[in-house]
Amino acid sequence: MQKMTKRQIQAINTKNNIYTIAINLMEKKGYDNITIEEICKKAGVSVGTFYHYFKSKYDIFIEIYTKADDYFYNNVANNLKEHNTLDKIIEYFDHYATYNTTCGIDTMKQLYNPNNKMFIKHGRFMQTVLQDIIKKGQEKNEICIDMTPEKVTEYLFIVARGVVYDWCLHDGQYDLNEAMNTFMKHLIVTFKS
């Protein structure tokens, strides 16, 4: 692997700084209430620098999901320990809950609104990792085959998003991992072969 130059490192740091400042402002004021100019002022960069890294303010939203997809692709996909498919799906959603908790309640409250269509965008790594688990479970006859892996994934994520939304409504006052585990254990039996 080729060593990065100082300029490349600086570029990564600048982009990360803009992103972090934007997230902090979004958590405090709400996505719709912040401007690119405000992000730039807080980050100590020009508006032109912002546009060098992000096409629009919405690209900050996209970056949130890109980071989540990268996490599931690089850290979750090949590191699930459970052998049984149903248990593996529960373990997967434990990672999902942990990731949401790590992002923080304030960020999650900003993301969980009906105008945010990134949750239902098809082809994201977060979805394809789960679809692969389900497909393999169907091949091993551990998951019913009357629904496609994509449809099972859709159902599971509808419930998972509902659990996270409820957690947001309660200001993160309960253990998200515990709640996710309970809901998934009850739901997953409906997909058992």
Side-chain angles (χ1 to χ4, degrees):
M1 188 157 95
Q2 190 176 7
K3 187 176 176 182
M4 287 196 299
T5 66
K6 286 183 182 180
R7 188 175 184 144
Q8 290 169 321
I9 293 169
Q10 182 182 9
I12 291 169
N13 290 339
T14 300
K15 182 178 181 181
N16 287 338
N17 180 49
I18 294 168
Y19 173 79
T20 301
I21 295 294
I23 295 300
N24 289 338
L25 286 169
M26 183 179 78
E27 289 174 352
K28 290 177 186 159
K29 298 175 78 174
Y31 174 80
D32 292 330
N33 299 319
I34 60 172
T35 64
I36 290 172
E37 291 77 14
E38 185 178 13
I39 294 167
C40 293
K41 185 176 179 184
K42 280 275 201 191
V45 299
S46 70
V47 172
T49 300
F50 178 93
Y51 283 113
H52 177 74
Y53 296 105
F54 301 99
K55 293 177 188 169
S56 67
K57 187 173 77 167
Y58 188 71
D59 276 9
I60 298 293
F61 243 41
I62 293 171
E63 186 74 11
I64 293 170
Y65 290 90
T66 300
K67 288 179 182 292
D69 285 332
D70 289 348
Y71 173 79
F72 273 81
Y73 183 75
N74 294 316
N75 298 10
V76 176
N78 296 317
N79 294 315
L80 296 171
K81 294 171 180 50
E82 297 294 340
H83 296 290
N84 174 287
T85 303
L86 299 177
D87 292 336
K88 194 173 276 196
I89 291 169
I90 292 168
E91 182 184 2
Y92 172 94
F93 279 103
D94 186 57
H95 285 281
Y96 183 77
T98 298
Y99 191 84
N100 281 270
T101 303
T102 301
C103 287
I105 187 71
D106 293 325
T107 297
M108 293 293 86
K109 284 181 177 183
Q110 294 301 312
L111 299 179
Y112 276 80
N113 72 70
N115 295 323
N116 180 5
K117 305 300 182 197
M118 287 299 295
F119 285 119
I120 59 173
K121 184 178 181 213
H122 293 285
R124 293 184 46 222
F125 284 135
M126 191 179 286
Q127 297 164 347
T128 58
V129 167
L130 184 57
Q131 288 167 7
D132 188 51
I133 292 167
I134 293 163
K135 182 179 178 191
K136 288 177 182 170
Q138 288 176 331
E139 290 167 358
K140 293 183 344 187
N141 201 31
E142 294 177 347
I143 299 284
C144 62
I145 58 170
D146 60 340
M147 292 173 68
T148 65
E150 293 78 15
K151 201 65 174 166
V152 175
T153 297
E154 181 183 340
Y155 275 52
L156 292 170
F157 267 113
I158 288 170
V159 170
R161 287 191 303 266
V163 173
V164 176
Y165 182 73
D166 187 72
W167 178 71
C168 289
L169 289 174
H170 288 90
D171 295 318
Q173 293 299 310
Y174 60 79
D175 185 307
L176 181 59
N177 288 75
E178 189 177 297
M180 187 70 70
N181 189 280
T182 300
F183 276 91
M184 285 301 156
K185 280 183 178 176
H186 283 92
L187 176 64
I188 199 67
V189 295
T190 63
F191 298 108
K192 188 175 181 179
S193 182

